[in-house]
């Protein structure tokens, strides 16, 4: 009777197979890690972009509401304008001011909400983009400091775009500009810069120029 022939892997073959398997698993791990890292970065950028667009759209809607808020007693009263605004630090500053007839969901009132809210948009180094606000119906409107609401702490700059019809040129200014007579001028656009974790976005909000006092469509 002939002995049965048997075949088996040698030690060298087993070690080679283990080395190939380890290399395959390492490559697969690197691939999964790279995909996860890319997905996380893209998701983070996507979420941040959503934030910048949401802030921009909300501010644009507020300014449009103020632009169309025309009182019968005074044309364009409450529409966006460049003016001096009282600040909580017992000082004043030239800011973009406007009126909201019914306030806004961003405002937290100490009591019941009031209409005819005077607002001002500003940038603070320690808070970011903020809104100062106070209702004209409050008894201490002319004497008390306005309240402050942080709109976005990721805004690192608020600048203003001006157009000079005489030279047909645009300029980007860090402060509101005056004309030759010393009157503050409304810019044509607002420019917001958002920065977070090395990511940067810039959003532009146009301001309606409506000297005749007609609704802007």
């Amino acid at each position: 009777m002939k002995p049965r022939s048997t075949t088996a892997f040698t030690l060298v073959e087993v070690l080679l197979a283990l080395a190939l398997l380890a290399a395959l698993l390492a490559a697969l791990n690197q691939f999964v890690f790279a995909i996860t890292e890319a997905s996380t970065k893209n998701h983070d950028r996507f979420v941040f972009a959503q934030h910048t667009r949401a802030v921009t759209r909300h501010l644009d809607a507020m300014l449009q509401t103020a632009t169309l808020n025309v009182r019968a007693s005074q044309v364009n009263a409450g529409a966006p304008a460049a003016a001096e605004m009282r600040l909580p630090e017992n000082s004043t500053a030239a800011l973009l001011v406007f009126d909201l007839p019914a306030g806004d969901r961003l405002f937290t009132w100490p009591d019941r909400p009031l209409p005819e809210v005077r607002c001002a948009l500003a940038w603070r180094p320690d808070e970011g983009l903020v809104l100062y606000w106070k209702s004209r119906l409050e008894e201490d409107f002319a004497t008390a400091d306005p309240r402050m609401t942080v709109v976005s702490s990721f805004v690192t700059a608020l600048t203003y775009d001006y157009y000079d019809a005489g030279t047909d040129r645009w300029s980007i200014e860090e402060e509101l500009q005056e004309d030759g007579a010393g009157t503050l001028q409304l810019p044509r656009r607002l420019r917001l810069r958002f920065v977070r974790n090395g990511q940067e976005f810039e959003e532009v909000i146009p301001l309606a120029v409506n000297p005749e006092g007609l609704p802007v469509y």
Side-chain angles (χ1 to χ4, degrees):
M1 183 175 181
K2 294 181 179 181
R4 181 180 300 176
S5 62
T6 59
T7 60
F9 293 107
T10 65
L11 180 60
V12 174
E13 290 174 331
V14 172
L15 293 177
L16 180 61
L18 290 176
L20 291 175
L21 180 61
L24 178 62
L25 291 176
L28 182 61
N29 182 64
Q30 289 295 328
F31 175 75
V32 172
F33 178 78
I35 293 297
T36 303
E37 185 179 16
S39 176
T40 301
K41 287 183 178 179
N42 290 336
H43 178 73
D44 186 62
R45 183 174 180 82
F46 174 74
V47 171
F48 187 41
Q50 280 190 317
H51 171 79
T52 63
R53 296 190 187 105
V55 170
T56 303
R57 285 195 298 266
H58 191 73
L59 287 177
D60 183 54
M62 294 172 70
L63 293 170
Q64 289 292 334
T65 299
T67 300
L68 299 177
N69 179 32
V70 180
R71 302 178 190 170
S73 59
Q74 185 179 357
V75 176
N76 269 358
E84 292 287 332
M85 178 75 176
R86 180 189 178 98
L87 302 183
E89 295 84 0
N90 197 25
S91 62
T92 60
L95 301 175
L96 179 73
V97 300
F98 55 95
D99 280 19
L100 295 177
D104 189 79
R105 61 180 176 82
L106 296 178
F107 303 155
T108 301
W109 293 86
D111 199 349
R112 63 184 181 86
L114 296 174
E116 296 188 31
V117 182
R118 186 65 164 173
C119 306
L121 190 64
W123 178 79
R124 294 172 61 96
D126 48 349
E127 275 95 7
L129 187 68
V130 302
L131 274 171
Y132 297 113
W133 54 278
K134 196 170 183 64
S135 172
R136 293 180 179 274
L137 301 183
E138 295 183 76
E139 295 181 354
D140 58 355
F141 173 76
T143 57
D145 292 339
R147 302 175 185 87
M148 187 186 78
T149 296
V150 177
V151 181
S152 174
S153 59
F154 299 122
V155 175
T156 60
L158 167 63
T159 54
Y160 309 95
D161 289 6
Y162 282 90
Y163 176 71
D164 187 346
T167 60
D168 191 26
R169 292 182 179 178
W170 287 89
S171 64
I172 302 176
E173 308 292 342
E174 295 184 356
E175 298 180 354
L176 293 170
Q177 301 296 293
E178 299 179 347
D179 60 12
T183 302
L184 289 169
Q185 298 298 297
L186 181 69
R188 290 293 186 91
R189 298 182 299 223
L190 300 180
R191 195 175 294 269
L192 303 175
R193 185 176 66 185
F194 296 81
V195 177
R196 176 179 178 269
N197 294 338
Q199 302 177 34
E200 181 174 339
F201 288 94
E202 187 173 76
E203 300 286 350
V204 177
I205 303 176
L207 295 176
V209 178
N210 186 31
E212 290 80 14
L214 298 176
V216 179
Y217 298 99

